[in-house]
Amino acid sequence: MTTITLENAQLRLVVNPEVGGSVVRFDALTQAGVVALMRPGSIDERDPNQLAMYPLLPWSNRIAKGGFEWRGQYYPLVKNLENEPLPIHGDGWQRSWQVVSQSTHTLELELRSNEQPPFDYHAELSYCLIDRRLEVALSVTHLGDQPAPYGLGLHPWFPRTGDTRITALAEGVWEVDKAQLPREWRRLTPESTWNFSNGKALPERLIDNLFTGWKGQARIEWPARGVELELTTVPTMSRYLVFSPHAQADFFCFEPV
């Protein structure tokens, strides 16, 4: 297994193309030492859910009833995670990506996938370090004879501390059922526990919910660590998902989708 390291004077990024094109770790290089900006993983880890970030395609999250109907035809989807009863996050994160090019600061990957109808696609994923910024680009081209619906996103895992704060505008959130499937949308008010629009700590209990009405910008703060991270999407994405099992967890996920 071969990982690839990108590095400049401010940042270091380690990627494993063979494990879903995943980021193994993303660190700031400071005078005080290395500071993890995402939850660090091991270079020997084969499970993307134990790493720092992976791509979501050709859809994100769970598909109800193990498949979906599209233009009058039903497409079953194979369950792809042992502890999940429903297919989740597509197949891109579980496949080996090919290296197209690499340099000190940039890595370009590609994936060809056609084993899960109606998805038949070529995907491109790139990581680039520019000063104090990481740019991630993800795109997909459908190659099938008939149109198919696609969804794209990123699944970063961030360190969770007691004082972690998220700032991300949203108009509403989808409540979920026991299977973590959306069942009812509700509008957020200034008093809402999950209203991160003006900055808020993570909830004590499970959160695994999709937020709508986003403007594609977010800020994550770890005051005790003296670290702040800003996130911007281009084009502007209107949805994000927040996941963390409970207050004792050492991670949370903020997923632009």
Side-chain angles (χ1 to χ4, degrees), residues 60-82:
S60 67
N61 261 284
R62 299 164 180 84
I63 300 294
K65 301 177 182 179
F68 65 96
E69 185 173 323
W70 170 250
R71 296 193 171 188
Q73 182 172 345
Y74 181 77
Y75 293 95
L77 298 173
V78 178
K79 171 187 169 182
N80 60 334
L81 196 60
E82 183 177 349

Side-chain angles (χ1 to χ4, degrees), residues 108-243:
E108 296 182 356
L109 307 174
E110 67 177 359
L111 172 66
R112 178 72 173 94
S113 176
N114 61 356
E115 298 178 15
Q116 199 169 57
F119 305 111
D120 181 355
Y121 66 90
H122 174 259
E124 296 175 296
L125 172 64
S126 69
Y127 299 103
C128 183
L129 299 180
I130 304 174
D131 299 324
R132 299 173 66 186
R133 183 170 76 251
L134 166 63
E135 290 190 355
V136 183
L138 177 63
S139 64
V140 63
T141 301
H142 180 60
L143 302 177
D145 294 332
Q146 301 299 322
Y150 283 79
L152 301 180
L154 294 172
H155 197 309
W157 302 74
F158 295 107
R160 175 170 180 166
T161 59
D163 62 348
T164 301
R165 290 179 61 84
I166 300 174
T167 303
L169 178 70
E171 294 178 355
V173 62
W174 280 95
E175 301 284 3
V176 296
D177 58 22
K178 292 181 179 180
Q180 294 302 125
L181 293 170
R183 60 175 174 80
E184 182 181 1
W185 182 87
R186 66 175 172 88
R187 184 173 299 278
L188 291 170
T189 66
E191 298 78 24
S192 297
T193 304
W194 291 354
N195 192 340
F196 298 105
S197 297
N198 296 312
K200 188 176 286 292
L202 288 156
E204 295 287 318
R205 297 183 179 180
L206 170 69
I207 181 171
D208 191 2
N209 298 74
L210 181 74
F211 292 77
T212 65
W214 188 34
K215 301 299 182 183
Q217 293 186 322
R219 184 171 67 253
I220 301 172
E221 301 168 86
W222 298 271
R225 301 173 68 214
V227 178
E228 178 179 307
L229 183 148
E230 293 186 358
L231 187 153
T232 303
T233 67
V234 179
T236 299
M237 299 172 78
S238 61
R239 296 168 176 82
Y240 65 83
L241 190 138
V242 178
F243 166 62

